[in-house]
Structures are given as structure tokens and as C-alpha cells.
Amino acid sequence: MFELASEGTTLGSAGFIVLLVFAIPAFKATEGDWRARGDYAVTFEDKNGAVIGRRGMFLDDSVPLSAMPPYLIQATLSTEDRRFYDHFGIDPLGTFRAIVSNAKAGGVVQGGSTITQQLAKNLFLSNERTIQRKINEAYLALWLEAQLSKDEILKLYLDRAYMGGGTHGVAAASEYYFGKSVKSLTLAEAAMLSGLYKAPTKYSPNNNLAAARARANQVLSNLVEAGFMTEAQVASARRNPATPVPSANGNAPDWFLDWAFDEVKRIAPPGDRTITVRTTLDPMIQKTADTAIADSLRQYGPQYKVKQAATVVQSLDGAVRAMVGGSDYGESLFNRAVYALRQPGSSFKPFVYATAFMNGFAPDDMISDAPISIGNWSPRNYGRSYAGRVSLRTAIAKSINTVPVRLAESFGRGKIVETAHKLGIRTELKITRALPLGVAEVTPIDMVGAYSGFATGGLKSTPYAIEWTKTRAGVITYDRARDEPPPEQVLPEEIAYEMNSVLSTVVNAGTGGKAKFPGQMQAGKTGTTQAYRDAWFVGFTGWYAASVWFGNDDYTSTANMTGGSLPAITWHAIMEPIHAGLGFKPIPGVPVPADVVASTGKPATVAAVPSEATVSPQSLTPAAVSVIRDVGTSMRARIPEAKAREAALTPTSTPSEQPLALGTPSDGGPLNTVLNSLSLLGASDATSPR
């Protein structure tokens, strides 16, 4: 017996030392003022300064435990830890009971963690499910029990538990969900809040009221089983379940806020963690995008057998104005606009053609559209037919597959990857034979940023959400205009303008016709992947760029949906309303189509092409525009005199010597051509951002 006891003591001591070694990182977490630690608490504003939401650790610890309704505390204990006042931080009996219950049910129906263990996790640890974390959690629970009283532990738990909607603690959650102080909660409301500890997103009354009420009903049953109340006392709460206040059910731009919160944590300097953030979001554009995606899925989802969609709308400099990450944020928080890796199909081809233009090809160069084989792989066109000799412009407009494959063979697929990464594609692009046809994986947010690089004349346009961050004391800790470098020239200007020209052909005479709308110029590209699993339209105007993706999370095929169908229709539904009231703004390097001339009443022209002498219209200030107009008015008053001088001084020219008109010819001759150009320049610039 003594030998067995000795061996047991030795092995037990050795095991304790091993566990202690594992727990060393946990005890380091207790150093310093551990009570004051917490995540960022961020209040977000839209681009106009209106509050649009909050993220982070918003808590209210001002209400003492004695002032909280006793049934709120009882509901918490009966649901989370009935033996809280009897154990020492770890409850062996409760853990054994949970193991037995889970074994009988064949799954996890009951947790074994005590309130003290959950508090230790909330204060010091992450949510990762590892043995290391469970060991740390157990040691920290024992440490908390040694440091604090039971009431202090319970108070900290009630103040720090995550309750959904960016709120931490029952006091903050009471204000958020019910618009009242925690002191005034009814039994039904207390039961609903106590049901949130297990899964605050799943049981949030804002996301799923039916599930929240069912969970609250279970909490009421727990109160009865634990002996805190009788069935008669909870009957009224069962018959009259809680209802959250309407203001808590507003249509917040949640996917955008989640992404912006991640950006805050990336760029915010250390220091004050309670901050206000001015974002780039435009509420009008966000509402338009929300409506367009919802309407498209509701009207056409069953027809095309598609359940999910995503879109990102941004200004050409990268400022994201709207983001939709799926069909329903309440059902799935996964942000498909930022994190979904999907094949782009033919919407990847612009990177192939841009690379071709940088390697000596031109938009009107002819190339053979004919069968091609690389080893045992033979790509085919969508219609299984071939057009023979076609220009590169026609090839991209008609989304021909053999042409980009031939181009890639001539200059190498590695250069395509380099071009795509320079423009802003951040995912890994594996170099395969099918790369030119878009079999790599990308995200909608990267695609819209990369396409914006064409519209800006080759300047990199990385999507961003934050203009500035400010502490409670009013100190600006981050200012994008101050702290970020100017955009990098990642594509030669002349190449970007050639791409603008061919991408405009896709909308005007190719597969993207359903994206076209009057009053502005559009350029873009459709994309459809193998077996119709993904469908895209990515494009831009002179003002905004947007990417639209449709598909299914489980990668099942849609019903023959192509990028030129629902994605192009939805892109149109987003872009046309947000351009209402904006002045006409050309796409650089693209001739203004006749229908746009008719709708705007402006003479046809070609947006400025790169040259050292060219002054971009966007560089003019309002004062400069005013001066140009005044000069134009003054010069027009002297047209009769100028005509006479012109007739006397200008010799008769042959047709080949006539200057190239920049505008529509008029009776004013060359002088009036100049004046018309000045008028166009001034009018275009008057409504452009500066």
C-alpha cells in the first residue's frame, strides 16, 4: 500500500508539474491591470458623420449586483452554472453530469464549464478549442476563485459576457435589445437575455426572434428545474414572450461594419481603445445595393437556382461606398464580399489582355480564334464555335476563350499573375494552363479594386473603409490623407486607356449589354465558371466601380446563369440609381458614344490620353473653372472680329491639312472649336469630386 501510494504521489506530482508548465502562459496573462483590459470599442460614422453602428466591447458595469432583478441572476445561474456557490471554480460533478447527458444525447447538449471558467476565457483567452486552452482556463479559474469573492466573479461575468450586437454585459444588452435599464427588465426579458450566453448570434432576437423566444422558454424551464421558481410563477412569461424594441432591428450595414472593424484593429495605434471612426460608407448607395441584391435573389433566385450574392461598390480611388456580403446577415455572418474565394471565369481575362498590351499587342491586332490544344487540354468557346481571325477587341467583347489562351502561350502565364497582383488581387494565383480562363480563386473586393486600376489610368486602387479614427479626447490617431502614401502607378497609363477602350466594347457590343444604362459610359467584363457555379459582372463608370457575384455556398451549379444575365442586371440596378443627379464623367481614353452625347447634350469627344502636356480635368479647381468660363464668354463676344482676322490671315488648306476636330464642327470655325472644348472641360469639371 505504501509503495502504491508513493508511486501515485510521484506520478501525480510529475503530472502536476507538466500541467503547470502548460499553464505558465496563462499566469502571464494575469500580470498588470487585467480588469482594465478589453477589445476596441468603436463607434462608426458614415461619410457624412451620421452614426451607423458599433463594434467591439461596449459594456456597462455601473449597475451593482444588488440592483439587478433577482430573477435575472437566477436565470443566469440555472442556465449556466447551478452549483456556482458550491464549487471552487471547477465543478467535477457538473462536468461528469454534462458528459453523461451528452453521451445519452449523442451530441453536445450541455456544457461542463463553470461561470468562473467562462469568465477566465472571456478575460484572458481566445475561443480556440484546444487542450492547451482548457488547461489554461482551469488554472485561471482557480486563480480567480482565490483572488475574488463569488459575488465579484458573478458581477464580472454579467458585465463581460458577450451578448451580441457588439454589446458586452447584461446592462448594455438590456439597453440595446429592449431600450431600458437592466433594473427594469421583466422576467420574460431576463430569460431572453440569459439565453444569449450560449450562442449570442444564433439566439439574438434581432437575427432570429423565434429562436430567441424558444431559447427563453428553455431558460424558464431551467428556473423551475433548479427550484428558483414554480411553474405558476413563469406561466405569464411563457404566454407573453419578450419583444425587442423596433430601433434595434434597423438595417445596419453589418457586413461593411465587420470588415471596417477588422481594418480598425489593423491600423489603429496602441493607446485609447474607445474610438470613433469616420468611414467611407454612403448610406444611399448602401441602401441601393441592399435592395438590388435582395430583389434579384427574390425574383430570379429560384429560376436560376442561386441562393447567395455579394457586391462591393467603391469610388475609383478605393473608398468603399457599399458592401453586401450575402443574402441575409441574420442567417450567415460570413462576408462573401471579402472572404469568399470563388473562380472569376472570364472576368479574369482583362488581366490577360492588359499583359498582352504590355507585351507588344494592340486592341485591333488580329489573332486566330481556332481550336488549340496544350497537351491533353483543349479549351473550347462557350458556343462550341470559332470565328477565325478576330481582333483582340472583339475577342474580349465576345468572351472568346481560345484567344487569351494563345496570348498567354506567347508571353507566359507568370506575367499574367504579376499583372493581377500589381493591380490588387491578393489571393494566390496558381499558374496552370487554364489560368487565362479564370480558374484561380479571387474575392469580389479584390476584383473591384483591380478593375478600378484601369479607370484611374493605372494607379493602384486598394479598397479601404476608414478616413480617420479619433479617441474620446478628440485626438486624431489615424488620418488616411496624412498617413497613407500616394497611390502607386502599377500599370502604364496608355495600357490602362487601351483596356478602358476594349472593356467599354464589352458593354456596348458584347456580353455585358444588360449592364448598360443611359447618361454615363460603362466598361466591364462578364464572367461565368465551369458548370455555372459562379457568375460575375465587374465594371466601372467615370464615377464608381462595382463587382457583383452570384453563386451557392456549397458550390452547386446554378441553372445556366451567366455573367451577362443576373449579375449584369443587378450591376445595372445598383449603378443607374446612384448616378442619378451626377454630371456626365467620361472614362479616360474612350470615345463618348452617340447615345450619351444625345442624353447629355455635349459634343462627342475622347477623354484625355496620357501626355506630358495634358492637364487632367479633375485637377481644376472651381475657381479655375470659373476663370475658363469667363474667358470663354469674353472671347465669344469678339467672335465677329476674330472671324475677320482669321479669314485674312489663314490661307486656304487642302483637306489633308485640316486639323482634327475635338468637338462637333460649328459655324464658329477653329476658334469656336476651342471655345466648345473649353465649355466641355468646365462643365465636366463642375460636378467632379476634388
Side-chain angles (χ1 to χ4, degrees):
M1 290 177 59
F2 280 113
E3 186 174 353
L4 288 175
S6 177
E7 292 293 337
T9 302
T10 302
L11 293 175
S13 300
F16 181 80
I17 292 172
V18 171
L19 293 177
L20 191 61
V21 170
F22 277 105
I24 290 175
F27 287 113
K28 288 184 177 179
T30 64
E31 298 173 355
D33 188 5
W34 54 270
R35 291 176 186 255
R37 294 176 189 167
D39 202 349
Y40 286 100
V42 184
T43 299
F44 289 100
E45 300 175 350
D46 65 20
K47 73 183 189 69
N48 301 315
V51 175
I52 54 175
R54 304 190 302 178
R55 287 293 186 273
M57 191 172 182
F58 285 90
L59 56 83
D60 181 356
D61 56 2
S62 61
V63 181
L65 193 65
S66 59
M68 296 182 184
Y71 43 77
L72 172 63
I73 297 172
Q74 292 166 351
T76 299
L77 294 176
S78 64
T79 302
E80 297 299 308
D81 189 357
R82 296 180 188 179
R83 287 173 38 81
F84 173 70
Y85 283 99
D86 297 324
H87 61 64
F88 51 87
I90 301 172
D91 186 7
L93 291 178
T95 302
F96 179 76
R97 183 177 62 249
I99 293 173
V100 173
S101 298
N102 294 338
K104 289 181 179 179
V108 180
V109 296
Q110 191 174 123
S113 295
T114 65
I115 281 179
T116 312
Q117 287 175 279
Q118 294 180 55
L119 177 62
K121 182 185 70 174
N122 293 340
L123 288 176
F124 304 111
L125 306 172
S126 67
N127 289 321
E128 61 178 346
R129 296 188 175 186
T130 62
I131 296 297
Q132 173 73 59
R133 198 215 77 187
K134 293 300 292 184
I135 294 173
N136 291 345
E137 183 182 286
Y139 273 100
L140 288 169
L142 296 174
W143 183 84
L144 286 172
E145 290 279 345
Q147 298 291 318
L148 306 172
S149 68
K150 284 288 188 180
D151 284 349
E152 288 176 323
I153 292 173
L154 181 58
K155 177 65 166 59
L156 274 174
Y157 179 74
L158 292 172
D159 287 342
R160 298 298 182 105
Y162 181 60
M163 309 294 281
T167 61
H168 288 253
V170 292
S174 178
E175 292 286 353
Y176 178 72
Y177 290 113
F178 304 115
K180 62 171 66 174
S181 168
V182 66
K183 301 175 185 178
S184 305
L185 287 175
T186 65
L187 175 58
E189 292 166 345
M192 185 170 284
L193 288 186
S194 298
L196 293 174
Y197 301 119
K198 182 177 181 180
T201 299
K202 179 180 179 180
Y203 296 119
S204 168
N206 289 354
N207 296 340
N208 191 332
L209 184 57
R213 286 176 169 173
R215 176 65 176 164
N217 195 54
Q218 179 60 50
V219 172
L220 294 173
S221 297
N222 293 341
L223 279 168
V224 176
E225 292 175 7
F228 289 116
M229 287 188 171
T230 66
E231 186 60 44
Q233 289 175 307
V234 302
S236 177
R238 291 191 195 274
R239 291 194 300 268
N240 303 285
T243 300
V245 293
S247 60
N249 289 317
N251 295 321
D254 288 305
W255 280 299
F256 176 87
L257 292 176
D258 289 346
W259 174 60
F261 186 49
D262 289 339
E263 292 295 292
V264 167
K265 290 186 285 187
R266 181 179 63 84
I267 67 174
D272 195 335
R273 301 173 78 86
T274 300
I275 57 179
T276 299
V277 174
R278 175 67 55 85
T279 72
T280 58
L281 185 118
D282 186 313
M284 183 276 291
I285 298 179
Q286 180 65 51
K287 183 177 180 180
T288 302
D290 286 333
T291 302
I293 293 293
D295 288 350
S296 293
L297 288 172
R298 183 180 63 254
Q299 291 181 268
Y300 302 105
Q303 172 187 338
Y304 284 110
K305 296 182 180 179
V306 62
K307 296 181 179 179
Q308 292 295 344
T311 186
V312 179
V313 184
Q314 71 171 45
S315 298
L316 299 183
D317 67 344
V320 173
R321 303 303 184 188
M323 177 180 289
V324 180
S327 60
D328 188 335
Y329 185 83
E331 293 182 0
S332 172
L333 277 64
F334 179 63
N335 192 340
R336 295 156 188 83
V338 178
Y339 303 113
L341 295 174
R342 308 294 297 218
Q343 290 188 1
S346 293
S347 62
F348 187 82
K349 290 177 182 175
F351 307 128
V352 180
Y353 286 94
T355 307
F357 296 158
M358 287 190 289
N359 283 271
F361 290 89
D364 295 321
D365 284 351
M366 305 298 289
I367 194 169
S368 177
D369 173 26
I372 181 175
S373 295
I374 303 175
N376 59 356
W377 179 66
S378 301
R380 293 178 295 182
N381 293 330
Y382 177 73
R384 302 291 195 273
S385 61
Y386 303 93
R389 298 279 292 176
V390 297
S391 68
L392 298 190
R393 183 186 303 277
T394 299
I396 193 170
K398 302 300 182 183
S399 204
I400 294 172
N401 285 337
T402 63
V403 171
V405 173
R406 290 183 188 277
L407 291 173
E409 284 298 295
S410 69
F411 50 72
R413 290 181 285 271
K415 292 183 178 180
I416 300 172
V417 172
E418 184 180 350
T419 299
H421 282 159
K422 281 184 177 180
L423 283 165
I425 301 298
R426 289 171 287 189
T427 53
E428 180 185 1
L429 301 174
K430 295 182 179 179
I431 300 178
T432 64
R433 292 173 296 184
L435 174 71
L437 303 185
V439 298
E441 292 180 326
V442 297
T443 61
I445 194 169
D446 281 0
M447 288 293 281
V448 71
Y451 271 61
S452 296
F454 299 133
T456 58
L459 294 176
K460 190 169 185 177
S461 180
T462 303
Y464 67 93
I466 299 168
E467 297 288 1
W468 48 256
T469 63
K470 181 172 62 176
T471 67
R472 285 178 293 184
V475 178
I476 300 294
T477 56
Y478 169 83
D479 187 319
R480 179 175 179 81
R482 178 193 68 195
D483 300 329
E484 296 293 341
E488 179 186 358
Q489 187 79 40
V490 294
L491 204 65
E493 283 184 319
E494 62 273 13
I495 302 301
Y497 292 142
E498 286 181 328
M499 285 304 306
N500 293 345
S501 176
V502 297
L503 290 175
S504 68
T505 307
V506 175
V507 177
N508 293 312
T511 58
K514 292 182 179 179
K516 187 177 177 62
F517 61 89
Q520 297 288 342
M521 300 164 62
Q522 302 90 35
K525 186 70 185 76
T526 57
T528 310
T529 64
Q530 188 177 17
Y532 300 98
R533 291 189 180 94
D534 302 274
W536 296 72
F537 187 85
V538 189
F540 51 88
T541 67
W543 293 98
Y544 297 109
S547 61
V548 175
W549 165 85
F550 280 87
N552 294 311
D553 286 341
D554 58 2
Y555 293 92
T556 53
S557 299
T558 65
N560 298 336
M561 181 171 63
T562 64
S565 59
L566 191 54
I569 293 171
T570 306
W571 192 91
H572 177 131
I574 296 171
M575 297 293 270
E576 183 175 25
I578 70 176
H579 284 81
L582 295 177
F584 170 71
K585 195 172 185 181
I587 297 174
V590 183
V592 181
D595 59 339
V596 176
V597 174
S599 65
T600 60
K602 291 182 172 64
T605 187
V606 177
V609 295
S611 71
E612 294 182 0
T614 298
V615 178
S616 171
Q618 286 74 16
S619 67
L620 296 178
T621 64
V625 173
S626 177
V627 170
I628 289 174
R629 288 175 174 166
D630 291 344
V631 171
T633 301
S634 175
M635 293 178 69
R636 286 182 185 280
R638 302 184 63 183
I639 282 179
E641 179 183 353
K643 282 184 177 180
R645 293 181 181 177
E646 184 182 36
L649 297 175
T650 304
T652 303
S653 302
T654 63
S656 62
E657 296 171 334
Q658 291 294 335
L660 177 64
L662 298 178
T664 303
S666 65
D667 293 337
L671 178 60
N672 232 20
T673 298
V674 174
L675 296 177
N676 285 337
S677 300
L678 289 173
S679 299
L680 174 60
L681 179 62
S684 298
D685 190 61
T687 54
S688 63
R690 299 183 169 71

